[in-house]
Amino acid sequence: MAHAACSGKGCRVLVLDDEPLILLDLEFAVEDAGCVPLTALELSEALAIAEGESIVAAILDVSLSHGQTCAPVAKALAERGVPYVLHTGDLDRMDEAVRNLGGVLVPKPTPAAVVVSRALEGIAHCQQA
Amino acid sequence: MVLRHAHKKVGNKSLSSDRADQAPGRADDASTTGQTSEEQGVEHHDAGGAGQSRVRPRSSQSGGYDDSAERFIANHPDDAFIGASGVLFEQAMAQTRMAVCLCDPHAPDAPIVFVNRAFRWLTGYEESDIIGRNCRFLQGPGTDRDAVARIRHAVDHEDVVVVELLNYRKDGTAFWNALHLGPIYDAQGRLIYYFGSQWDVSDVRAARADERHARELARELSHRMKNMFAVIGGIVNFTGRSHGIESEAREINDRIQALGRAYETTLDEASSGSIEVGQAIRSVLSPYDPEGRRIRFKGNGLRSDFSAVSVLGLSLHELAVNAAKHGALSHDDGRVTVAWQKNGSSDAPTIVIDWIEEGGPAVMPDASEAQAPAGSIVDRMLQMARGNIMRDWHPDGLRARLRVPLREDAV
């Protein structure tokens, strides 16, 4: 079920999570879906990718370490028209912030393959037109 | 009580007409004039330096008769309460544990003209410290100016107001005061006093703060637990991947994640030690019905102790997996009804869960045997929990009944 939308090879997908093991799992799942994962363990890495790379979708962990959230990345992506899913185990507390970010909500824990397929849902054709 | 009697008062108070027209005094605002600020400054000095703390323990409030009401009446003959009203006023003032004061809005700076004993005990001041001063002497550095402004507004508009504000006793200790303040009129409808009732709500506020803290802690715990299950899921997945056993890893992971969902619902009420069975069931099954159309939930607020979570959660997960592969959830029209209830005798109560599939592919009795081999993982888990599962294969789907002992002693 992971091999949902992205049949085109080489689509780049940004994955942000401050937990390395979750990031690793998502990286594999993005590869399994036939895309190229660009991973970020912290906000600055994610911002650099969002602003410097050509990506088709993103998976964003909402609450990051040091009290940071993914909001700046979400904003940068929204400006570029890149769809993203918000992957969070913190829905109770982040409610307000998350709502303001828009994007598709995927609660943690959700199997990585499902997270990736939700992220790729919005992009029916990513064969790099 | 007191107020009602005060309202009934047949007053002979000789208010001169110019006084009656005068704007009500300002009972509370330290910042209105330089004079009052200075006065407040002196209060703090007294409170800090005198070292003559006379706050009496509140437990001793029942002792002795409080004659302050009698003395007040003696000193205010024009305000005499007549007959029963007067007696009731005295007795109520003497006996109530509610701190009460009266202020004269027509005298300069609306001084306090009466306080009962509960007021003196609450604040630690003697009557001679209090009479003739404006109520604001109870305020201090931590008093919220907005609360004071609300009091001021109510006084200016002859309104009733209830405000919680930080006040200070004579010994300088702070307490949260639920102040109830309002005007008292005479029989002719003229404003004659402001009454104030004070209640120490420090404990109430501390309890509220504790509750908030506990809620925040539960949320943090919930966040960490979800994260932990996500990490475990990640480990299982990439371990399976590295050994080329992705499908086995997925099966393990699905079970772990079902367990995670079952536990997740228990955290909000972690302190109660019990879980709401229905919430755990809904949560476990939610991924099998993302649109909320195909699984129907029927049950009341049945609670169980924590130990039922894992077996119930995993058993229902397995039933849902099978239904999605072979049963009602493998068909677009298929439906599942899950109903839970308490059953069994009072000394051996049981959680009974009915799992009813409808609209699925036709069930072949032979095939059904293969789908649910004796000794399947569901049977083994339920047996280990001293429960069981009965399966009944109807033409339109499986009907199963799960039982596990209900332990409610933690409730």
Side-chain angles (χ1 to χ4, degrees):
Chain A
M1 64 182 150
H3 310 270
C6 187
S7 54
K9 302 300 167 204
C11 298
R12 291 152 167 262
V13 176
L14 165 63
V15 188
L16 165 65
D17 202 300
D18 65 350
E19 168 52 58
L21 296 181
I22 295 176
L23 197 57
L24 182 58
D25 189 27
L26 289 168
E27 181 184 44
F28 283 141
V30 171
E31 283 174 7
D32 289 345
C35 297
V36 177
L38 301 178
T39 62
L41 194 59
E42 47 190 71
L43 189 60
S44 57
E45 289 179 8
L47 275 173
I49 294 167
E51 285 163 4
E53 302 282 343
S54 161
I55 53 178
V56 298
I59 297 164
L60 306 178
D61 179 22
V62 175
S63 27
L64 305 168
S65 43
H66 310 302
Q68 290 178 317
T69 76
C70 68
V73 189
K75 209 166 149 242
L77 293 172
E79 280 166 10
R80 287 164 177 75
V82 177
Y84 50 84
V85 297
L86 298 170
H87 188 213
T88 178
D90 211 6
L91 277 178
D92 292 339
R93 280 185 299 189
M94 304 302 298
D95 220 16
E96 193 64 24
V98 165
R99 229 165 254 150
N100 294 338
L101 288 180
V104 176
L105 279 185
V106 181
K108 274 185 190 175
T110 294
V114 177
V115 179
V116 171
S117 70
R118 295 299 304 276
L120 299 178
E121 262 167 20
I123 42 163
H125 312 286
C126 61
Q127 276 103 331
Q128 284 158 345
Chain B
M1 296 284 260
V2 175
L3 291 182
R4 247 177 266 131
H5 295 303
H7 272 289
K8 279 185 197 159
K9 169 171 122 39
V10 182
N12 293 324
K13 183 163 181 151
S14 53
L15 294 166
S16 64
S17 58
D18 60 317
R19 276 205 131 189
D21 296 339
Q22 201 178 312
R26 293 175 166 171
D28 270 286
D29 189 343
S31 60
T32 37
T33 67
Q35 184 203 344
T36 52
S37 312
E38 265 174 41
E39 187 186 306
Q40 185 139 0
V42 173
E43 301 304 340
H44 295 151
H45 183 70
D46 282 355
Q52 43 181 329
S53 153
R54 292 200 190 166
V55 181
R56 295 176 175 105
R58 261 165 275 160
S59 57
S60 71
Q61 284 188 11
S62 54
Y65 181 76
D66 179 18
D67 63 352
S68 54
E70 271 170 42
R71 284 185 285 107
F72 170 70
I73 290 169
N75 293 333
H76 295 75
D78 291 346
D79 281 354
F81 289 72
I82 288 173
S85 295
V87 174
L88 280 171
F89 172 74
E90 286 167 28
Q91 291 185 348
M93 283 302 113
Q95 288 177 18
T96 182
R97 291 167 58 219
M98 173 79 75
V100 175
C101 66
L102 291 177
C103 307
D104 181 356
H106 302 297
D109 203 28
I112 296 173
V113 293
F114 165 77
V115 290
N116 68 350
R117 177 169 51 189
F119 187 103
R120 305 195 300 272
W121 272 338
L122 172 64
T123 62
Y125 288 98
E126 298 300 322
E127 194 168 275
S128 57
D129 296 330
I130 303 168
I131 300 296
R133 293 166 77 181
N134 183 285
C135 293
R136 84 175 68 83
F137 77 98
L138 294 173
Q139 298 169 19
T143 306
D144 179 16
R145 302 322 296 173
D146 287 346
V148 174
R150 284 170 58 206
I151 294 168
R152 167 74 179 286
H153 182 269
V155 169
D156 287 349
H157 295 80
E158 295 186 26
D159 275 342
V160 174
V161 70
V162 179
V163 174
E164 278 183 25
L165 78 169
L166 196 66
N167 276 168
Y168 294 81
R169 298 187 182 86
K170 185 171 185 176
D171 67 359
T173 57
F175 65 99
W176 279 98
N177 183 5
L179 171 67
H180 181 182
L181 185 111
I184 295 180
Y185 301 98
D186 68 6
Q188 281 73 48
R190 287 173 300 203
L191 176 71
I192 51 170
Y193 292 121
Y194 268 93
F195 78 88
S197 70
Q198 284 84 0
W199 192 253
D200 182 355
V201 291
S202 305
D203 292 349
V204 178
R205 291 187 67 107
R208 270 185 242 148
D210 285 351
E211 201 184 307
R212 247 191 331 268
H213 179 67
R215 238 186 346 255
E216 279 161 20
L217 218 58
R219 284 178 181 168
E220 176 65 23
L221 206 61
S222 162
H223 176 213
R224 289 195 192 180
M225 200 173 83
K226 287 173 188 168
N227 211 54
M228 187 57 72
F229 272 100
V231 171
I232 293 168
I235 293 170
V236 172
N237 274 351
F238 59 69
T239 306
R241 186 187 162 106
S242 67
H243 290 284
I245 49 166
E246 284 92 339
S247 71
E248 287 88 345
R250 193 173 309 122
E251 187 178 337
I252 293 168
N253 212 5
D254 287 349
R255 285 179 176 162
I256 290 172
Q257 301 309 326
L259 187 66
R261 290 194 301 280
Y263 276 127
E264 178 184 303
T265 58
T266 65
L267 275 175
D268 297 338
E269 312 173 74
S271 60
S272 77
S274 72
I275 57 137
E276 196 180 326
V277 173
Q279 276 183 9
I281 290 174
R282 287 168 200 271
S283 180
V284 166
L285 296 177
S286 60
Y288 300 98
D289 185 21
E291 285 158 29
R293 291 184 304 109
R294 311 188 61 189
I295 304 181
R296 233 166 25 118
F297 298 96
K298 288 167 75 177
N300 52 19
L302 177 62
R303 301 191 74 88
S304 165
D305 89 328
F306 201 65
S307 65
V309 172
S310 55
V311 165
L312 278 185
L314 283 183
S315 298
L316 289 168
H317 163 71
E318 297 302 319
L319 289 176
V321 168
N322 279 331
K325 270 188 207 154
H326 316 288
L329 296 179
S330 67
H331 259 210
D332 283 346
D333 300 333
R335 297 267 189 285
V336 178
T337 301
V338 187
W340 57 93
Q341 55 182 304
K342 180 178 170 179
N343 214 328
S345 62
S346 59
D347 58 337
T350 309
I351 301 172
V352 177
I353 300 176
D354 284 314
W355 173 277
I356 298 163
E357 297 185 26
E358 290 164 300
V363 172
M364 302 296 174
D366 295 346
S368 64
E369 286 301 314
Q371 283 171 29
S376 81
I377 193 70
V378 174
D379 298 62
R380 297 291 298 269
M381 286 190 301
L382 286 165
Q383 279 161 23
M384 197 55 84
R386 307 301 177 248
N388 60 45
I389 177 169
M390 310 285 284
R391 292 183 183 81
D392 189 6
W393 300 95
H394 279 241
D396 55 348
L398 168 68
R399 298 189 179 186
R401 171 164 279 198
L402 290 70
R403 295 170 191 272
V404 281
L406 171 62
R407 297 193 193 90
E408 329 171 80
D409 46 10
V411 177

